[in-house]
Amino acid sequence: MTQPLRLGIAGLGTVGIGVVKIVKKHAQLLEARSGRPVTISAVSARSRNKNRDIDISQFAWEDDPVALATRDDVDVFVELMGGSEGPAKASVEAAIAAGKHVVTANKALLAHHGQELARSAEAKGVILRFEAAVAGGIPVIKALTEGLAGNEIDRVMGVMNGTCNYILTRMYDADLPYDVVFEEANQLGYLEADPNLDVGGIDAGHKLALLAAIAFGTQVNFDAMELEGIQRIQIADIEHAADMGYRIKLLGVAQMTGRGLEQRMSPCLVPASSPLGQLEGGTNMVVIEGDSIGQVVLRGPGAGEGPTASAVMGDVMDLARGFAVTTFGQPADTLRPVRGVKATKSAPYYLRMTLLDKPGAMAKVASVLGDAGVSIDRMRQYGHEDKTAPVLIVTHKTTRDSLDMALSGLEETGVVEGAPVAIRIEEV
Protein backbone atom coordinates (compact mmCIF):
# COMPACT_ATOMS: atom_id res chain seq x y z
CA MET A 1 0.00 0.00 0.00
CA THR A 2 1.23 3.51 -0.80
CA GLN A 3 2.50 5.30 2.29
CA PRO A 4 0.11 7.96 3.63
CA LEU A 5 0.99 11.64 3.74
CA ARG A 6 0.94 12.43 7.46
CA LEU A 7 -0.02 15.88 8.69
CA GLY A 8 0.79 17.66 11.93
CA ILE A 9 -1.60 20.58 12.47
CA ALA A 10 -0.61 23.47 14.75
CA GLY A 11 -3.57 25.70 15.52
CA LEU A 12 -7.10 24.40 15.96
CA GLY A 13 -9.08 27.56 15.44
CA THR A 14 -11.59 28.05 12.67
CA VAL A 15 -9.24 27.07 9.86
CA GLY A 16 -7.51 24.23 11.69
CA ILE A 17 -10.81 22.58 12.54
CA GLY A 18 -11.87 23.08 8.95
CA VAL A 19 -8.83 21.12 7.77
CA VAL A 20 -9.55 18.32 10.25
CA LYS A 21 -13.14 18.13 8.97
CA ILE A 22 -12.03 17.89 5.34
CA VAL A 23 -9.48 15.15 6.05
CA LYS A 24 -12.10 13.16 7.99
CA LYS A 25 -15.02 13.74 5.66
CA HIS A 26 -13.24 13.28 2.34
CA ALA A 27 -10.65 10.62 3.17
CA GLN A 28 -11.58 8.41 0.20
CA LEU A 29 -11.84 11.36 -2.18
CA LEU A 30 -8.43 12.70 -1.15
CA GLU A 31 -6.82 9.30 -1.63
CA ALA A 32 -8.46 8.81 -5.03
CA ARG A 33 -7.29 12.22 -6.23
CA SER A 34 -3.75 12.06 -4.86
CA GLY A 35 -3.03 8.35 -5.14
CA ARG A 36 -2.24 7.98 -1.44
CA PRO A 37 -4.03 8.36 1.90
CA VAL A 38 -3.87 11.73 3.65
CA THR A 39 -3.94 11.38 7.43
CA ILE A 40 -3.42 13.45 10.57
CA SER A 41 -0.81 12.18 13.03
CA ALA A 42 -0.81 14.87 15.70
CA VAL A 43 -2.16 18.29 16.57
CA SER A 44 -1.27 21.22 18.80
CA ALA A 45 -3.16 24.24 20.15
CA ARG A 46 -3.25 26.53 23.16
CA SER A 47 -5.92 24.52 24.94
CA ARG A 48 -6.37 20.76 24.78
CA ASN A 49 -9.78 20.72 26.43
CA LYS A 50 -11.57 23.41 24.45
CA ASN A 51 -14.88 22.32 22.93
CA ARG A 52 -14.24 22.21 19.18
CA ASP A 53 -17.37 20.32 18.08
CA ILE A 54 -15.23 17.59 16.53
CA ASP A 55 -13.42 14.61 18.02
CA ILE A 56 -9.64 15.01 17.99
CA SER A 57 -8.89 12.30 20.55
CA GLN A 58 -7.58 9.95 17.86
CA PHE A 59 -4.66 12.30 17.14
CA ALA A 60 -1.54 12.60 19.27
CA TRP A 61 -1.33 15.89 21.19
CA GLU A 62 1.67 18.18 21.53
CA ASP A 63 1.60 21.19 23.84
CA ASP A 64 4.61 22.66 22.01
CA PRO A 65 4.17 23.30 18.25
CA VAL A 66 7.95 23.02 17.80
CA ALA A 67 7.78 19.46 19.13
CA LEU A 68 4.91 18.77 16.74
CA ALA A 69 6.92 20.15 13.82
CA THR A 70 9.76 17.72 14.43
CA ARG A 71 7.83 14.49 15.11
CA ASP A 72 8.96 11.44 13.15
CA ASP A 73 5.38 10.64 12.14
CA VAL A 74 4.77 14.05 10.54
CA ASP A 75 5.56 14.61 6.85
CA VAL A 76 3.85 17.99 6.46
CA PHE A 77 3.69 20.62 9.17
CA VAL A 78 0.49 22.67 8.79
CA GLU A 79 0.93 26.00 10.59
CA LEU A 80 -2.38 27.75 11.34
CA MET A 81 -1.50 29.70 14.48
CA GLY A 82 -0.78 33.10 12.92
CA GLY A 83 1.64 35.85 13.88
CA SER A 84 4.91 36.94 12.34
CA GLU A 85 7.04 35.94 15.35
CA GLY A 86 6.85 33.63 18.37
CA PRO A 87 5.65 30.02 18.13
CA ALA A 88 4.60 30.31 14.48
CA LYS A 89 8.04 31.37 13.29
CA ALA A 90 9.90 29.03 15.62
CA SER A 91 7.85 25.99 14.62
CA VAL A 92 8.06 26.65 10.87
CA GLU A 93 11.83 27.06 11.15
CA ALA A 94 12.03 23.83 13.17
CA ALA A 95 9.92 21.94 10.63
CA ILE A 96 12.11 23.06 7.73
CA ALA A 97 15.29 22.22 9.64
CA ALA A 98 13.86 18.73 10.33
CA GLY A 99 13.17 18.19 6.62
CA LYS A 100 9.39 18.59 6.79
CA HIS A 101 7.25 20.24 4.15
CA VAL A 102 5.28 23.25 5.43
CA VAL A 103 1.81 24.50 4.52
CA THR A 104 0.72 27.73 6.19
CA ALA A 105 -2.06 30.31 6.13
CA ASN A 106 0.18 32.87 7.84
CA LYS A 107 0.50 35.94 5.63
CA ALA A 108 2.21 38.04 8.32
CA LEU A 109 4.97 35.46 8.81
CA LEU A 110 5.74 35.31 5.09
CA ALA A 111 5.40 39.05 4.51
CA HIS A 112 8.13 39.65 7.10
CA HIS A 113 10.27 36.50 6.80
CA GLY A 114 9.32 34.93 3.48
CA GLN A 115 12.67 35.37 1.79
CA GLU A 116 14.71 33.70 4.52
CA LEU A 117 12.18 30.89 4.99
CA ALA A 118 12.08 30.22 1.25
CA ARG A 119 15.88 30.01 1.15
CA SER A 120 15.91 27.63 4.10
CA ALA A 121 13.25 25.39 2.56
CA GLU A 122 15.09 25.15 -0.75
CA ALA A 123 18.37 24.40 1.01
CA LYS A 124 16.70 21.49 2.84
CA GLY A 125 14.87 20.27 -0.27
CA VAL A 126 11.40 20.79 1.21
CA ILE A 127 8.37 22.72 0.00
CA LEU A 128 6.84 25.78 1.68
CA ARG A 129 3.39 26.67 0.37
CA PHE A 130 0.85 29.31 1.43
CA GLU A 131 -2.24 29.36 -0.79
CA ALA A 132 -4.48 29.94 2.22
CA ALA A 133 -2.54 33.06 3.24
CA VAL A 134 -3.96 35.17 0.39
CA ALA A 135 -7.62 35.75 -0.51
CA GLY A 136 -9.08 32.79 1.39
CA GLY A 137 -10.44 30.15 -0.93
CA ILE A 138 -9.40 31.86 -4.17
CA PRO A 139 -6.51 29.87 -5.77
CA VAL A 140 -4.56 32.99 -6.69
CA ILE A 141 -1.12 31.66 -5.69
CA LYS A 142 -1.59 28.68 -8.00
CA ALA A 143 -2.80 30.99 -10.74
CA LEU A 144 0.38 33.07 -10.57
CA THR A 145 2.93 30.30 -10.00
CA GLU A 146 1.38 27.75 -12.37
CA GLY A 147 -1.42 28.74 -14.73
CA LEU A 148 0.01 32.17 -15.60
CA ALA A 149 3.70 31.24 -15.34
CA GLY A 150 4.18 31.94 -19.07
CA ASN A 151 3.09 35.56 -18.68
CA GLU A 152 4.99 38.69 -17.85
CA ILE A 153 2.69 40.20 -15.25
CA ASP A 154 1.85 43.87 -15.75
CA ARG A 155 -0.33 44.54 -12.73
CA VAL A 156 -1.93 42.77 -9.77
CA MET A 157 -4.77 44.42 -7.90
CA GLY A 158 -7.70 43.48 -5.80
CA VAL A 159 -9.89 43.63 -2.73
CA MET A 160 -8.26 41.27 -0.25
CA ASN A 161 -9.78 42.04 3.14
CA GLY A 162 -13.35 40.88 3.52
CA THR A 163 -13.92 42.82 6.74
CA CYS A 164 -13.14 46.16 5.08
CA ASN A 165 -15.28 45.27 2.10
CA TYR A 166 -18.12 44.33 4.45
CA ILE A 167 -17.83 47.66 6.29
CA LEU A 168 -17.78 49.75 3.12
CA THR A 169 -20.60 47.75 1.55
CA ARG A 170 -22.72 48.00 4.69
CA MET A 171 -22.15 51.76 4.90
CA TYR A 172 -23.37 52.06 1.31
CA ASP A 173 -26.36 49.72 1.58
CA ALA A 174 -27.67 50.87 4.97
CA ASP A 175 -26.54 54.52 4.87
CA LEU A 176 -24.75 54.02 8.19
CA PRO A 177 -21.65 55.88 9.43
CA TYR A 178 -18.29 54.15 9.77
CA ASP A 179 -18.29 53.99 13.58
CA VAL A 180 -21.67 52.22 13.69
CA VAL A 181 -20.70 49.63 11.08
CA PHE A 182 -17.29 49.12 12.68
CA GLU A 183 -18.95 48.22 15.98
CA GLU A 184 -21.42 45.99 14.15
CA ALA A 185 -18.54 44.12 12.47
CA ASN A 186 -16.82 43.77 15.83
CA GLN A 187 -19.94 42.29 17.42
CA LEU A 188 -20.23 39.81 14.56
CA GLY A 189 -16.63 38.67 15.16
CA TYR A 190 -15.36 39.91 11.80
CA LEU A 191 -12.48 41.97 13.19
CA GLU A 192 -9.06 40.75 14.27
CA ALA A 193 -8.10 41.02 17.95
CA ASP A 194 -6.17 44.10 16.81
CA PRO A 195 -8.75 45.76 14.51
CA ASN A 196 -6.10 47.95 12.90
CA LEU A 197 -4.79 44.86 11.10
CA ASP A 198 -8.07 44.92 9.17
CA VAL A 199 -9.23 48.52 8.92
CA GLY A 200 -5.68 49.88 8.77
CA GLY A 201 -4.95 47.87 5.62
CA ILE A 202 -2.12 45.85 7.20
CA ASP A 203 -3.67 42.40 6.68
CA ALA A 204 -4.44 43.16 3.03
CA GLY A 205 -0.99 44.73 2.61
CA HIS A 206 0.67 41.51 3.76
CA LYS A 207 -1.26 39.63 1.08
CA LEU A 208 -0.41 42.10 -1.66
CA ALA A 209 3.30 41.95 -0.78
CA LEU A 210 3.26 38.17 -1.30
CA LEU A 211 1.46 38.44 -4.63
CA ALA A 212 3.89 41.12 -5.81
CA ALA A 213 6.90 38.92 -5.02
CA ILE A 214 5.49 36.11 -7.17
CA ALA A 215 4.22 38.37 -9.95
CA PHE A 216 7.42 40.35 -10.41
CA GLY A 217 10.13 37.96 -9.21
CA THR A 218 11.18 40.19 -6.34
CA GLN A 219 11.99 39.69 -2.70
CA VAL A 220 9.04 40.34 -0.42
CA ASN A 221 9.19 43.98 0.60
CA PHE A 222 6.27 44.73 2.88
CA ASP A 223 8.15 47.64 4.47
CA ALA A 224 7.92 49.50 1.13
CA MET A 225 4.13 49.14 0.99
CA GLU A 226 2.09 52.36 0.98
CA LEU A 227 -0.65 51.74 3.53
CA GLU A 228 -3.79 53.70 4.23
CA GLY A 229 -6.82 52.25 5.96
CA ILE A 230 -10.52 53.04 5.75
CA GLN A 231 -10.89 54.80 9.10
CA ARG A 232 -11.31 58.26 7.54
CA ILE A 233 -14.02 57.24 5.08
CA GLN A 234 -17.29 58.96 5.96
CA ILE A 235 -20.81 58.23 4.78
CA ALA A 236 -20.58 61.49 2.81
CA ASP A 237 -17.70 60.02 0.80
CA ILE A 238 -19.75 56.89 0.08
CA GLU A 239 -22.66 59.02 -1.11
CA HIS A 240 -20.56 61.40 -3.22
CA ALA A 241 -18.80 58.48 -4.88
CA ALA A 242 -22.15 56.86 -5.70
CA ASP A 243 -23.41 60.13 -7.22
CA MET A 244 -20.42 60.09 -9.58
CA GLY A 245 -20.89 56.43 -10.53
CA TYR A 246 -18.20 55.02 -8.25
CA ARG A 247 -17.87 52.75 -5.22
CA ILE A 248 -15.15 53.03 -2.58
CA LYS A 249 -13.02 49.92 -2.01
CA LEU A 250 -9.87 49.18 -0.02
CA LEU A 251 -7.87 48.36 -3.14
CA GLY A 252 -4.40 46.87 -3.41
CA VAL A 253 -2.34 47.61 -6.51
CA ALA A 254 1.14 46.31 -7.36
CA GLN A 255 3.02 47.03 -10.57
CA MET A 256 6.62 47.31 -11.69
CA THR A 257 7.75 50.71 -12.95
CA GLY A 258 10.96 52.08 -14.34
CA ARG A 259 11.80 53.50 -10.93
CA GLY A 260 10.95 50.43 -8.85
CA LEU A 261 8.07 48.41 -7.43
CA GLU A 262 4.84 50.25 -6.70
CA GLN A 263 2.80 48.62 -3.93
CA ARG A 264 -0.12 50.44 -2.38
CA MET A 265 -3.07 49.41 -0.28
CA SER A 266 -5.51 52.26 0.13
CA PRO A 267 -9.14 53.31 -0.38
CA CYS A 268 -9.88 53.98 -4.05
CA LEU A 269 -12.87 54.94 -6.12
CA VAL A 270 -13.62 52.31 -8.76
CA PRO A 271 -16.41 52.36 -11.38
CA ALA A 272 -19.62 50.98 -9.87
CA SER A 273 -20.18 48.95 -13.03
CA SER A 274 -16.79 47.19 -12.83
CA PRO A 275 -16.32 43.72 -11.27
CA LEU A 276 -14.53 45.34 -8.33
CA GLY A 277 -17.26 47.94 -7.96
CA GLN A 278 -19.92 45.24 -7.79
CA LEU A 279 -18.08 43.20 -5.15
CA GLU A 280 -20.29 42.88 -2.08
CA GLY A 281 -19.85 41.90 1.57
CA GLY A 282 -16.89 39.77 2.65
CA THR A 283 -16.05 38.51 -0.82
CA ASN A 284 -12.52 38.97 -2.19
CA MET A 285 -11.42 39.63 -5.76
CA VAL A 286 -7.99 39.57 -7.38
CA VAL A 287 -7.36 40.95 -10.87
CA ILE A 288 -4.20 39.85 -12.69
CA GLU A 289 -3.03 41.43 -15.94
CA GLY A 290 -0.45 39.64 -18.07
CA ASP A 291 1.08 40.25 -21.48
CA SER A 292 -0.31 37.05 -23.03
CA ILE A 293 -3.51 36.43 -21.08
CA GLY A 294 -4.77 40.00 -20.82
CA GLN A 295 -6.92 40.33 -17.71
CA VAL A 296 -8.00 37.51 -15.39
CA VAL A 297 -10.52 38.12 -12.59
CA LEU A 298 -10.63 35.71 -9.65
CA ARG A 299 -13.51 36.07 -7.22
CA GLY A 300 -14.53 34.10 -4.14
CA PRO A 301 -14.85 33.91 -0.36
CA GLY A 302 -11.90 35.59 1.31
CA ALA A 303 -12.12 33.96 4.74
CA GLY A 304 -14.00 31.44 6.82
CA GLU A 305 -13.60 27.84 7.87
CA GLY A 306 -14.44 26.08 4.62
CA PRO A 307 -12.82 28.40 2.06
CA THR A 308 -9.51 28.80 3.89
CA ALA A 309 -9.30 25.12 4.84
CA SER A 310 -9.99 24.32 1.19
CA ALA A 311 -6.95 26.40 0.21
CA VAL A 312 -4.80 24.63 2.81
CA MET A 313 -5.85 21.27 1.40
CA GLY A 314 -5.04 22.38 -2.13
CA ASP A 315 -1.41 22.73 -1.06
CA VAL A 316 -1.53 19.45 0.90
CA MET A 317 -2.86 17.63 -2.16
CA ASP A 318 -0.02 18.95 -4.32
CA LEU A 319 2.45 17.53 -1.80
CA ALA A 320 0.57 14.21 -1.72
CA ARG A 321 0.87 14.01 -5.51
CA GLY A 322 4.57 14.82 -5.39
CA PHE A 323 4.13 18.13 -7.17
CA ALA A 324 6.89 20.55 -6.22
CA VAL A 325 7.06 24.28 -6.86
CA THR A 326 9.29 26.84 -5.16
CA THR A 327 7.79 29.14 -2.57
CA PHE A 328 7.53 32.25 -4.75
CA GLY A 329 7.45 30.52 -8.13
CA GLN A 330 11.21 30.69 -8.77
CA PRO A 331 14.33 29.94 -6.71
CA ALA A 332 14.68 32.28 -3.76
CA ASP A 333 18.22 33.28 -4.73
CA THR A 334 16.91 34.59 -8.07
CA LEU A 335 14.37 36.91 -6.44
CA ARG A 336 15.84 40.35 -6.80
CA PRO A 337 15.73 43.11 -4.20
CA VAL A 338 13.78 46.08 -5.46
CA ARG A 339 13.22 49.65 -4.41
CA GLY A 340 9.72 50.64 -3.39
CA VAL A 341 8.29 53.72 -5.06
CA LYS A 342 5.13 55.80 -4.79
CA ALA A 343 2.47 55.65 -7.49
CA THR A 344 3.96 57.06 -10.70
CA LYS A 345 0.98 56.80 -13.03
CA SER A 346 -1.23 59.89 -13.10
CA ALA A 347 -4.81 59.52 -11.93
CA PRO A 348 -7.71 61.77 -10.97
CA TYR A 349 -8.35 62.19 -7.25
CA TYR A 350 -11.39 62.82 -5.10
CA LEU A 351 -10.72 65.49 -2.45
CA ARG A 352 -12.95 66.28 0.49
CA MET A 353 -12.15 69.14 2.83
CA THR A 354 -13.86 71.47 5.26
CA LEU A 355 -13.31 75.17 4.61
CA LEU A 356 -13.59 77.82 7.28
CA ASP A 357 -16.09 80.55 6.48
CA LYS A 358 -13.50 83.18 5.59
CA PRO A 359 -13.36 85.58 2.63
CA GLY A 360 -11.35 84.21 -0.29
CA ALA A 361 -11.10 80.69 1.19
CA MET A 362 -11.99 78.93 -2.05
CA ALA A 363 -9.64 81.16 -4.01
CA LYS A 364 -6.78 80.16 -1.72
CA VAL A 365 -7.58 76.47 -2.25
CA ALA A 366 -7.65 76.89 -6.02
CA SER A 367 -4.35 78.79 -5.91
CA VAL A 368 -2.59 76.09 -3.86
CA LEU A 369 -3.83 73.36 -6.18
CA GLY A 370 -2.76 75.32 -9.24
CA ASP A 371 0.71 76.04 -7.84
CA ALA A 372 1.17 72.28 -7.33
CA GLY A 373 0.07 71.55 -10.89
CA VAL A 374 -3.27 70.05 -9.86
CA SER A 375 -6.23 71.21 -11.95
CA ILE A 376 -9.88 71.01 -10.91
CA ASP A 377 -12.30 68.95 -12.99
CA ARG A 378 -15.38 69.28 -10.77
CA MET A 379 -16.12 71.11 -7.55
CA ARG A 380 -19.15 71.19 -5.27
CA GLN A 381 -19.71 73.17 -2.07
CA TYR A 382 -22.35 72.07 0.42
CA GLY A 383 -24.32 74.00 3.02
CA HIS A 384 -22.58 75.83 5.85
CA GLU A 385 -22.13 74.03 9.15
CA ASP A 386 -21.06 76.06 12.21
CA LYS A 387 -18.99 78.57 10.22
CA THR A 388 -17.55 75.87 7.98
CA ALA A 389 -18.46 74.56 4.55
CA PRO A 390 -17.78 71.04 3.23
CA VAL A 391 -16.20 71.13 -0.24
CA LEU A 392 -15.79 68.28 -2.72
CA ILE A 393 -13.26 68.49 -5.56
CA VAL A 394 -12.48 65.99 -8.31
CA THR A 395 -9.16 66.70 -9.99
CA HIS A 396 -7.97 66.01 -13.49
CA LYS A 397 -5.25 63.37 -13.72
CA THR A 398 -2.25 64.26 -11.61
CA THR A 399 0.76 62.56 -10.05
CA ARG A 400 0.87 61.53 -6.42
CA ASP A 401 3.86 63.83 -5.87
CA SER A 402 1.88 66.82 -7.13
CA LEU A 403 -1.09 65.85 -5.00
CA ASP A 404 1.06 65.50 -1.88
CA MET A 405 2.50 68.95 -2.55
CA ALA A 406 -1.01 70.34 -2.83
CA LEU A 407 -2.22 68.62 0.34
CA SER A 408 0.72 70.00 2.27
CA GLY A 409 -0.01 73.47 0.95
CA LEU A 410 -3.69 73.25 1.83
CA GLU A 411 -2.91 72.58 5.47
CA GLU A 412 -0.88 75.80 5.56
CA THR A 413 -3.53 78.09 4.09
CA GLY A 414 -5.33 78.72 7.37
CA VAL A 415 -8.70 78.19 5.69
CA VAL A 416 -8.91 74.36 5.79
CA GLU A 417 -10.14 72.73 8.99
CA GLY A 418 -8.34 69.44 9.66
CA ALA A 419 -6.58 67.33 7.05
CA PRO A 420 -8.24 66.92 3.64
CA VAL A 421 -9.27 63.42 2.57
CA ALA A 422 -7.77 62.35 -0.77
CA ILE A 423 -8.91 59.18 -2.55
CA ARG A 424 -7.45 57.98 -5.84
CA ILE A 425 -9.87 57.22 -8.68
CA GLU A 426 -8.50 53.98 -10.12
CA GLU A 427 -8.84 52.74 -13.69
CA VAL A 428 -9.85 49.07 -13.56
Side-chain angles (χ1 to χ4, degrees):
M1 180 179 176
T2 303
Q3 290 296 313
L5 185 74
R6 302 165 299 178
L7 311 182
I9 302 175
L12 293 174
T14 300
V15 180
I17 290 301
V19 172
V20 173
K21 288 178 179 178
I22 290 176
V23 173
K24 283 189 166 189
K25 180 180 179 181
H26 295 309
Q28 292 183 335
L29 182 64
L30 299 177
E31 182 174 358
R33 289 178 172 173
S34 68
R36 63 191 295 193
V38 176
T39 63
I40 299 171
S41 298
V43 296
S44 177
R46 290 177 181 173
S47 171
R48 185 170 187 172
N49 299 319
K50 179 181 177 180
N51 179 17
R52 297 180 170 90
D53 296 323
I54 191 169
D55 183 16
I56 60 170
S57 62
Q58 68 197 87
F59 313 130
W61 178 273
E62 292 283 359
D63 290 319
D64 182 1
V66 172
L68 173 65
T70 56
R71 284 177 64 104
D72 291 338
D73 60 353
V74 168
D75 304 308
V76 180
F77 179 62
V78 182
E79 187 278 303
L80 303 173
M81 296 176 287
S84 62
E85 306 293 337
K89 182 171 182 283
S91 58
V92 168
E93 289 173 337
I96 292 172
K100 315 290 186 183
H101 301 304
V102 175
V103 172
T104 180
N106 192 335
K107 80 281 294 184
L109 175 68
L110 292 170
H112 291 283
H113 305 292
Q115 181 68 19
E116 62 194 72
L117 291 173
R119 279 202 177 106
S120 297
E122 289 171 24
K124 290 294 293 188
V126 297
I127 306 301
L128 169 61
R129 298 301 291 158
F130 58 96
E131 184 68 69
V134 180
I138 303 174
V140 62
I141 305 298
K142 289 183 183 295
L144 280 171
T145 57
E146 299 171 35
L148 301 178
N151 285 256
E152 180 176 344
I153 303 301
D154 300 316
R155 181 169 66 160
V156 177
M157 61 182 170
V159 171
M160 289 173 270
N161 184 278
T163 298
C164 287
N165 202 51
Y166 167 82
I167 290 173
L168 294 172
T169 299
R170 179 74 171 145
M171 289 174 69
Y172 173 83
D173 288 340
D175 196 29
L176 291 172
Y178 172 84
D179 290 344
V180 171
V181 180
F182 175 90
E183 184 56 35
E184 180 180 282
N186 191 39
Q187 293 297 321
L188 290 170
Y190 291 170
L191 290 164
E192 297 276 0
D194 177 4
N196 192 52
L197 292 173
D198 286 317
V199 298
I202 297 170
D203 170 84
H206 286 152
K207 299 170 186 177
L208 183 64
L210 299 177
L211 293 183
I214 299 171
F216 305 111
T218 59
Q219 295 179 11
V220 182
N221 191 0
F222 173 71
D223 290 339
M225 180 80 58
E226 287 188 78
L227 284 177
E228 180 185 348
I230 64 170
Q231 300 97 320
R232 296 178 67 197
I233 301 298
Q234 295 184 3
I235 190 64
D237 300 318
I238 301 284
E239 294 170 348
H240 299 331
D243 287 344
M244 295 186 291
Y246 292 98
R247 296 288 296 273
I248 298 177
K249 301 292 178 183
L250 180 67
L251 186 68
V253 179
Q255 54 193 356
M256 188 61 69
T257 73
R259 296 195 301 167
L261 178 62
E262 176 187 326
Q263 301 177 106
R264 49 188 166 85
M265 183 63 65
S266 62
C268 290
L269 271 68
V270 299
S273 59
S274 68
L276 284 166
Q278 296 176 36
L279 193 66
E280 300 291 332
T283 308
N284 281 196
M285 180 175 288
V286 180
V287 180
I288 304 170
E289 297 172 351
D291 62 343
S292 296
I293 193 65
Q295 188 180 84
V296 174
V297 179
L298 303 172
R299 177 184 184 277
E305 178 183 296
T308 311
S310 171
V312 170
M313 289 307 300
D315 285 336
V316 168
M317 290 295 282
D318 276 349
L319 294 172
R321 292 166 174 147
F323 178 70
V325 62
T326 51
T327 307
F328 294 106
Q330 65 186 69
D333 286 339
T334 68
L335 298 171
R336 65 189 189 280
V338 68
R339 188 166 69 97
V341 296
K342 284 189 174 182
T344 55
K345 188 177 180 181
S346 296
Y349 283 83
Y350 162 101
L351 301 178
R352 174 176 55 80
M353 65 193 78
T354 301
L355 297 189
L356 299 176
D357 189 9
K358 293 183 177 181
M362 195 62 240
K364 287 185 178 181
V365 168
S367 176
V368 167
L369 293 175
D371 290 344
V374 178
S375 62
I376 297 173
D377 179 27
R378 284 176 276 175
M379 181 182 70
R380 185 180 298 174
Q381 181 172 325
Y382 295 87
H384 287 64
E385 300 175 0
D386 297 328
K387 298 183 179 180
T388 63
V391 172
L392 167 66
I393 293 173
V394 176
T395 75
H396 287 289
K397 285 187 177 182
T398 187
T399 65
R400 182 70 210 195
D401 286 344
S402 295
L403 183 74
D404 287 342
M405 184 186 304
L407 293 175
S408 178
L410 288 172
E411 294 185 22
E412 297 172 1
T413 60
V415 299
V416 178
E417 183 180 78
V421 171
I423 308 176
R424 183 183 176 99
I425 301 176
E426 191 69 45
E427 295 178 3
V428 299

